[in-house]
Amino acid sequence: AQSVSQHNHHVILSEAASLELGCNYSYGGTVNLFWYVQYPGQHLQLLLKYFSGDPLVKGIKGFEAEFIKSKFSFNLRKPSVQWSDTAEYFCAVNAPGNNAGNMLTFGGGTRLMVKP
Amino acid sequence: KAGVTQTPRYLIKTRGQQVTLSCSPISGHRSVSWYQQTPGQGLQFLFEYFSETQRNKGNFPGRFSGRQFSNSRSEMNVSTLELGDSALYLCASSSPGTGVGGYTFGSGTRLTVV
């Protein structure tokens, strides 16, 4: 079974700082990769997803993520964070070759606090 | 366009009781998945329904069950509640057009077992 690790549980940044959140997964086959975000008091929302093709994917609100197959990683980045980016971020993987359907395996989440 | 609607928003139940949670997906979405979110275990997949059929099931005991109706609305049931079942239960819907895992999540039902 696949698993997902997010190494940073809590991150505190000042506005305009650059962000990189780590995500590693364990699964040897083809994967679909996702980042979801949960803003305070709101429901989970899809930030971006990778299925195939260009390993650098761009999502909403200026976020991007890079899939590095050799490292089993899918790190999330943003060049300049804003206070409104304060949220919890979840990395997730789907393994289509595992008859997974829509099933996602989520990482434990990273809480980001951006200081104004 | 209405989002995913989960009812009720909050529930308090006693150990040993059973509970039913409801989820109405976005119109046109035929896939409904359920997740349990707890501080200790994070987000864990419960099951997925597509066109009234369970397509996948997570690693939860048989006390957790679900079903989907012909209008794609889904319910999940937990019988013989335990304290550890206290969690936020999230429903998510998707369609082939949103791609695998391209969920729209509901706001969840917060279940407290006392």
Side-chain angles (χ1 to χ4, degrees):
Chain A
Q2 59 269 27
S3 65
V4 180
S5 297
Q6 293 180 242
H7 312 295
N8 308 102
H9 298 294
H10 293 90
V11 173
I12 301 174
L13 294 173
S14 297
E15 274 193 316
S18 64
L19 170 72
E20 181 159 3
L21 301 183
C23 172
N24 288 90
Y25 66 91
S26 65
Y27 184 71
T30 301
V31 291
N32 299 316
L33 297 159
F34 306 82
W35 277 97
Y36 276 83
V37 61
Q38 190 167 33
Y39 297 103
Q42 296 187 27
H43 57 267
L44 274 163
Q45 300 171 44
L46 180 65
L47 259 184
L48 49 78
K49 59 186 177 183
Y50 171 81
F51 286 173
S52 63
D54 189 343
L56 184 63
V57 292
K58 296 193 184 297
I60 61 172
K61 305 186 180 187
F63 285 90
E64 65 179 31
E66 185 175 13
F67 170 50
I68 302 179
K69 189 175 181 180
S70 61
K71 294 186 178 180
F72 299 90
S73 71
F74 190 56
N75 292 354
L76 181 70
R77 300 194 293 244
K78 186 171 184 179
S80 176
V81 295
Q82 301 172 313
W83 176 78
S84 57
D85 294 323
T86 294
E88 188 161 17
Y89 293 81
F90 295 90
C91 181
V93 65
N94 167 272
N98 217 16
N99 293 316
N102 270 319
M103 183 179 75
L104 296 184
T105 300
F106 283 88
T110 298
R111 286 185 186 273
L112 171 66
M113 178 184 293
V114 180
K115 298 185 296 184
Chain B
K1 182 170 168 179
V4 177
T5 304
Q6 292 189 245
T7 56
R9 289 293 309 275
Y10 301 92
L11 265 178
I12 300 176
K13 290 286 189 179
T14 305
R15 269 183 303 175
Q17 287 187 312
Q18 76 162 14
V19 66
T20 299
L21 312 181
S22 179
C23 171
S24 293
I26 287 175
S27 179
H29 285 193
R30 292 163 60 194
S31 170
V32 174
S33 298
W34 290 88
Y35 288 83
Q36 182 196 65
Q37 186 176 22
T38 60
Q41 300 297 318
L43 280 150
Q44 292 187 287
F45 174 79
L46 280 156
F47 24 65
E48 178 194 2
Y49 287 88
F50 182 81
S51 294
E52 303 179 66
T53 301
Q54 188 179 85
R55 188 153 71 171
N56 269 299
K57 189 176 192 306
N59 191 25
F60 279 82
R63 300 184 296 107
F64 291 81
S65 63
R67 59 178 174 168
Q68 187 179 33
F69 302 94
S70 58
N71 61 358
S72 294
R73 191 177 70 86
S74 177
E75 289 181 347
M76 66 163 281
N77 183 278
V78 188
S79 62
T80 320
L81 284 165
E82 300 178 359
L83 295 178
D85 298 332
S86 294
L88 181 66
Y89 289 89
L90 294 171
C91 169
S93 74
S94 66
S95 72
T98 63
V100 170
Y103 291 130
T104 299
F105 278 87
S107 298
T109 293
R110 185 164 296 281
L111 171 65
T112 302
V113 182
V114 297

PDB file of all heavy atoms in Angstrom, chain A residues 91-115:
ATOM      1  N   CYS A  91      -0.689  16.825   0.986  1.00  0.00           N
ATOM      2  CA  CYS A  91      -0.245  16.132  -0.214  1.00  0.00           C
ATOM      3  C   CYS A  91      -1.001  14.803  -0.281  1.00  0.00           C
ATOM      4  O   CYS A  91      -1.299  14.200   0.765  1.00  0.00           O
ATOM      5  CB  CYS A  91       1.256  15.896  -0.121  1.00  0.00           C
ATOM      6  SG  CYS A  91       1.984  15.071  -1.538  1.00  0.00           S
ATOM      7  N   ALA A  92      -1.315  14.340  -1.477  1.00  0.00           N
ATOM      8  CA  ALA A  92      -2.058  13.081  -1.599  1.00  0.00           C
ATOM      9  C   ALA A  92      -1.638  12.359  -2.870  1.00  0.00           C
ATOM     10  O   ALA A  92      -1.212  12.980  -3.848  1.00  0.00           O
ATOM     11  CB  ALA A  92      -3.565  13.340  -1.615  1.00  0.00           C
ATOM     12  N   VAL A  93      -1.774  11.044  -2.834  1.00  0.00           N
ATOM     13  CA  VAL A  93      -1.401  10.215  -3.973  1.00  0.00           C
ATOM     14  C   VAL A  93      -2.536   9.256  -4.297  1.00  0.00           C
ATOM     15  O   VAL A  93      -3.251   8.775  -3.416  1.00  0.00           O
ATOM     16  CB  VAL A  93      -0.082   9.457  -3.692  1.00  0.00           C
ATOM     17  CG1 VAL A  93      -0.259   8.468  -2.552  1.00  0.00           C
ATOM     18  CG2 VAL A  93       0.388   8.717  -4.932  1.00  0.00           C
ATOM     19  N   ASN A  94      -2.690   9.010  -5.586  1.00  0.00           N
ATOM     20  CA  ASN A  94      -3.618   8.003  -6.094  1.00  0.00           C
ATOM     21  C   ASN A  94      -2.803   7.061  -6.959  1.00  0.00           C
ATOM     22  O   ASN A  94      -1.973   7.513  -7.747  1.00  0.00           O
ATOM     23  CB  ASN A  94      -4.716   8.689  -6.897  1.00  0.00           C
ATOM     24  CG  ASN A  94      -5.540   7.728  -7.732  1.00  0.00           C
ATOM     25  OD1 ASN A  94      -5.194   7.433  -8.869  1.00  0.00           O
ATOM     26  ND2 ASN A  94      -6.620   7.243  -7.160  1.00  0.00           N
ATOM     27  N   ALA A  95      -3.023   5.775  -6.769  1.00  0.00           N
ATOM     28  CA  ALA A  95      -2.261   4.778  -7.520  1.00  0.00           C
ATOM     29  C   ALA A  95      -3.198   4.053  -8.461  1.00  0.00           C
ATOM     30  O   ALA A  95      -3.814   3.062  -8.082  1.00  0.00           O
ATOM     31  CB  ALA A  95      -1.611   3.790  -6.550  1.00  0.00           C
ATOM     32  N   PRO A  96      -3.319   4.518  -9.695  1.00  0.00           N
ATOM     33  CA  PRO A  96      -4.325   3.951 -10.603  1.00  0.00           C
ATOM     34  C   PRO A  96      -4.119   2.481 -10.910  1.00  0.00           C
ATOM     35  O   PRO A  96      -5.072   1.755 -11.148  1.00  0.00           O
ATOM     36  CB  PRO A  96      -4.190   4.814 -11.864  1.00  0.00           C
ATOM     37  CG  PRO A  96      -2.832   5.422 -11.777  1.00  0.00           C
ATOM     38  CD  PRO A  96      -2.537   5.575 -10.319  1.00  0.00           C
ATOM     39  N   GLY A  97      -2.889   2.027 -10.857  1.00  0.00           N
ATOM     40  CA  GLY A  97      -2.631   0.629 -11.158  1.00  0.00           C
ATOM     41  C   GLY A  97      -3.019  -0.311 -10.047  1.00  0.00           C
ATOM     42  O   GLY A  97      -2.929  -1.514 -10.174  1.00  0.00           O
ATOM     43  N   ASN A  98      -3.454   0.267  -8.964  1.00  0.00           N
ATOM     44  CA  ASN A  98      -3.812  -0.501  -7.778  1.00  0.00           C
ATOM     45  C   ASN A  98      -5.318  -0.617  -7.632  1.00  0.00           C
ATOM     46  O   ASN A  98      -5.813  -0.873  -6.533  1.00  0.00           O
ATOM     47  CB  ASN A  98      -3.238   0.221  -6.549  1.00  0.00           C
ATOM     48  CG  ASN A  98      -2.738  -0.738  -5.503  1.00  0.00           C
ATOM     49  OD1 ASN A  98      -2.536  -1.913  -5.759  1.00  0.00           O
ATOM     50  ND2 ASN A  98      -2.559  -0.237  -4.294  1.00  0.00           N
ATOM     51  N   ASN A  99      -6.047  -0.445  -8.761  1.00  0.00           N
ATOM     52  CA  ASN A  99      -7.517  -0.420  -8.722  1.00  0.00           C
ATOM     53  C   ASN A  99      -8.035   0.564  -7.682  1.00  0.00           C
ATOM     54  O   ASN A  99      -8.979   0.278  -6.955  1.00  0.00           O
ATOM     55  CB  ASN A  99      -8.074  -1.815  -8.425  1.00  0.00           C
ATOM     56  CG  ASN A  99      -7.807  -2.771  -9.574  1.00  0.00           C
ATOM     57  OD1 ASN A  99      -7.983  -2.420 -10.733  1.00  0.00           O
ATOM     58  ND2 ASN A  99      -7.367  -3.964  -9.234  1.00  0.00           N
ATOM     59  N   ALA A 100      -7.385   1.699  -7.635  1.00  0.00           N
ATOM     60  CA  ALA A 100      -7.682   2.645  -6.562  1.00  0.00           C
ATOM     61  C   ALA A 100      -8.914   3.488  -6.827  1.00  0.00           C
ATOM     62  O   ALA A 100      -9.395   4.149  -5.917  1.00  0.00           O
ATOM     63  CB  ALA A 100      -6.482   3.554  -6.324  1.00  0.00           C
ATOM     64  N   GLY A 101      -9.402   3.505  -8.061  1.00  0.00           N
ATOM     65  CA  GLY A 101     -10.536   4.378  -8.355  1.00  0.00           C
ATOM     66  C   GLY A 101     -10.154   5.797  -8.020  1.00  0.00           C
ATOM     67  O   GLY A 101      -9.122   6.299  -8.449  1.00  0.00           O
ATOM     68  N   ASN A 102     -10.965   6.449  -7.198  1.00  0.00           N
ATOM     69  CA  ASN A 102     -10.699   7.818  -6.776  1.00  0.00           C
ATOM     70  C   ASN A 102      -9.998   7.882  -5.422  1.00  0.00           C
ATOM     71  O   ASN A 102      -9.820   8.965  -4.874  1.00  0.00           O
ATOM     72  CB  ASN A 102     -12.004   8.605  -6.681  1.00  0.00           C
ATOM     73  CG  ASN A 102     -12.366   9.294  -7.977  1.00  0.00           C
ATOM     74  OD1 ASN A 102     -11.504   9.838  -8.637  1.00  0.00           O
ATOM     75  ND2 ASN A 102     -13.627   9.236  -8.348  1.00  0.00           N
ATOM     76  N   MET A 103      -9.631   6.740  -4.871  1.00  0.00           N
ATOM     77  CA  MET A 103      -9.078   6.728  -3.520  1.00  0.00           C
ATOM     78  C   MET A 103      -7.777   7.498  -3.440  1.00  0.00           C
ATOM     79  O   MET A 103      -6.856   7.263  -4.219  1.00  0.00           O
ATOM     80  CB  MET A 103      -8.836   5.290  -3.060  1.00  0.00           C
ATOM     81  CG  MET A 103      -8.330   5.199  -1.638  1.00  0.00           C
ATOM     82  SD  MET A 103      -8.089   3.513  -1.105  1.00  0.00           S
ATOM     83  CE  MET A 103      -6.599   3.082  -1.972  1.00  0.00           C
ATOM     84  N   LEU A 104      -7.701   8.405  -2.497  1.00  0.00           N
ATOM     85  CA  LEU A 104      -6.472   9.151  -2.241  1.00  0.00           C
ATOM     86  C   LEU A 104      -5.897   8.739  -0.897  1.00  0.00           C
ATOM     87  O   LEU A 104      -6.630   8.550   0.066  1.00  0.00           O
ATOM     88  CB  LEU A 104      -6.739  10.660  -2.217  1.00  0.00           C
ATOM     89  CG  LEU A 104      -7.223  11.317  -3.505  1.00  0.00           C
ATOM     90  CD1 LEU A 104      -7.329  12.828  -3.303  1.00  0.00           C
ATOM     91  CD2 LEU A 104      -6.297  11.004  -4.660  1.00  0.00           C
ATOM     92  N   THR A 105      -4.573   8.633  -0.863  1.00  0.00           N
ATOM     93  CA  THR A 105      -3.856   8.476   0.392  1.00  0.00           C
ATOM     94  C   THR A 105      -3.225   9.824   0.704  1.00  0.00           C
ATOM     95  O   THR A 105      -2.457  10.348  -0.104  1.00  0.00           O
ATOM     96  CB  THR A 105      -2.773   7.387   0.274  1.00  0.00           C
ATOM     97  OG1 THR A 105      -3.389   6.155  -0.069  1.00  0.00           O
ATOM     98  CG2 THR A 105      -2.035   7.247   1.595  1.00  0.00           C
ATOM     99  N   PHE A 106      -3.574  10.371   1.848  1.00  0.00           N
ATOM    100  CA  PHE A 106      -3.118  11.707   2.225  1.00  0.00           C
ATOM    101  C   PHE A 106      -1.921  11.649   3.153  1.00  0.00           C
ATOM    102  O   PHE A 106      -1.769  10.720   3.964  1.00  0.00           O
ATOM    103  CB  PHE A 106      -4.239  12.471   2.947  1.00  0.00           C
ATOM    104  CG  PHE A 106      -5.305  13.021   2.042  1.00  0.00           C
ATOM    105  CD1 PHE A 106      -6.400  12.243   1.690  1.00  0.00           C
ATOM    106  CD2 PHE A 106      -5.219  14.319   1.552  1.00  0.00           C
ATOM    107  CE1 PHE A 106      -7.391  12.754   0.852  1.00  0.00           C
ATOM    108  CE2 PHE A 106      -6.206  14.835   0.725  1.00  0.00           C
ATOM    109  CZ  PHE A 106      -7.296  14.048   0.372  1.00  0.00           C
ATOM    110  N   GLY A 107      -1.085  12.683   3.053  1.00  0.00           N
ATOM    111  CA  GLY A 107      -0.063  12.894   4.064  1.00  0.00           C
ATOM    112  C   GLY A 107      -0.687  13.515   5.306  1.00  0.00           C
ATOM    113  O   GLY A 107      -1.872  13.861   5.311  1.00  0.00           O
ATOM    114  N   GLY A 108       0.131  13.672   6.328  1.00  0.00           N
ATOM    115  CA  GLY A 108      -0.372  14.164   7.598  1.00  0.00           C
ATOM    116  C   GLY A 108      -0.670  15.657   7.639  1.00  0.00           C
ATOM    117  O   GLY A 108      -1.241  16.145   8.612  1.00  0.00           O
ATOM    118  N   GLY A 109      -0.289  16.361   6.607  1.00  0.00           N
ATOM    119  CA  GLY A 109      -0.592  17.783   6.545  1.00  0.00           C
ATOM    120  C   GLY A 109       0.537  18.652   7.084  1.00  0.00           C
ATOM    121  O   GLY A 109       1.316  18.223   7.953  1.00  0.00           O
ATOM    122  N   THR A 110       0.625  19.865   6.566  1.00  0.00           N
ATOM    123  CA  THR A 110       1.563  20.881   7.052  1.00  0.00           C
ATOM    124  C   THR A 110       0.775  22.143   7.342  1.00  0.00           C
ATOM    125  O   THR A 110       0.091  22.660   6.458  1.00  0.00           O
ATOM    126  CB  THR A 110       2.657  21.202   6.019  1.00  0.00           C
ATOM    127  OG1 THR A 110       3.433  20.042   5.763  1.00  0.00           O
ATOM    128  CG2 THR A 110       3.562  22.321   6.532  1.00  0.00           C
ATOM    129  N   ARG A 111       0.881  22.594   8.575  1.00  0.00           N
ATOM    130  CA  ARG A 111       0.218  23.847   8.941  1.00  0.00           C
ATOM    131  C   ARG A 111       1.153  25.002   8.647  1.00  0.00           C
ATOM    132  O   ARG A 111       2.258  25.062   9.196  1.00  0.00           O
ATOM    133  CB  ARG A 111      -0.150  23.851  10.421  1.00  0.00           C
ATOM    134  CG  ARG A 111      -1.320  22.964  10.783  1.00  0.00           C
ATOM    135  CD  ARG A 111      -1.695  23.117  12.258  1.00  0.00           C
ATOM    136  NE  ARG A 111      -2.724  22.160  12.625  1.00  0.00           N
ATOM    137  CZ  ARG A 111      -4.022  22.372  12.494  1.00  0.00           C
ATOM    138  NH1 ARG A 111      -4.460  23.531  12.022  1.00  0.00           N
ATOM    139  NH2 ARG A 111      -4.899  21.457  12.843  1.00  0.00           N
ATOM    140  N   LEU A 112       0.729  25.897   7.779  1.00  0.00           N
ATOM    141  CA  LEU A 112       1.512  27.077   7.416  1.00  0.00           C
ATOM    142  C   LEU A 112       0.896  28.306   8.063  1.00  0.00           C
ATOM    143  O   LEU A 112      -0.290  28.562   7.913  1.00  0.00           O
ATOM    144  CB  LEU A 112       1.533  27.256   5.902  1.00  0.00           C
ATOM    145  CG  LEU A 112       2.130  28.583   5.393  1.00  0.00           C
ATOM    146  CD1 LEU A 112       3.622  28.647   5.718  1.00  0.00           C
ATOM    147  CD2 LEU A 112       1.903  28.737   3.896  1.00  0.00           C
ATOM    148  N   MET A 113       1.717  29.046   8.767  1.00  0.00           N
ATOM    149  CA  MET A 113       1.290  30.330   9.301  1.00  0.00           C
ATOM    150  C   MET A 113       2.158  31.409   8.672  1.00  0.00           C
ATOM    151  O   MET A 113       3.396  31.326   8.734  1.00  0.00           O
ATOM    152  CB  MET A 113       1.430  30.384  10.819  1.00  0.00           C
ATOM    153  CG  MET A 113       1.023  31.739  11.400  1.00  0.00           C
ATOM    154  SD  MET A 113       1.292  31.879  13.164  1.00  0.00           S
ATOM    155  CE  MET A 113       0.120  30.721  13.790  1.00  0.00           C
ATOM    156  N   VAL A 114       1.513  32.384   8.060  1.00  0.00           N
ATOM    157  CA  VAL A 114       2.237  33.493   7.455  1.00  0.00           C
ATOM    158  C   VAL A 114       2.004  34.725   8.308  1.00  0.00           C
ATOM    159  O   VAL A 114       0.864  35.143   8.529  1.00  0.00           O
ATOM    160  CB  VAL A 114       1.767  33.748   6.011  1.00  0.00           C
ATOM    161  CG1 VAL A 114       2.541  34.921   5.417  1.00  0.00           C
ATOM    162  CG2 VAL A 114       1.948  32.500   5.160  1.00  0.00           C
ATOM    163  N   LYS A 115       3.097  35.285   8.811  1.00  0.00           N
ATOM    164  CA  LYS A 115       3.011  36.469   9.652  1.00  0.00           C
ATOM    165  C   LYS A 115       2.984  37.707   8.782  1.00  0.00           C
ATOM    166  O   LYS A 115       3.805  37.835   7.876  1.00  0.00           O
ATOM    167  CB  LYS A 115       4.193  36.506  10.618  1.00  0.00           C
ATOM    168  CG  LYS A 115       4.241  35.328  11.571  1.00  0.00           C
ATOM    169  CD  LYS A 115       5.352  35.474  12.597  1.00  0.00           C
ATOM    170  CE  LYS A 115       6.717  35.461  11.932  1.00  0.00           C
ATOM    171  NZ  LYS A 115       7.813  35.512  12.925  1.00  0.00           N
TER     172      LYS A 115
END
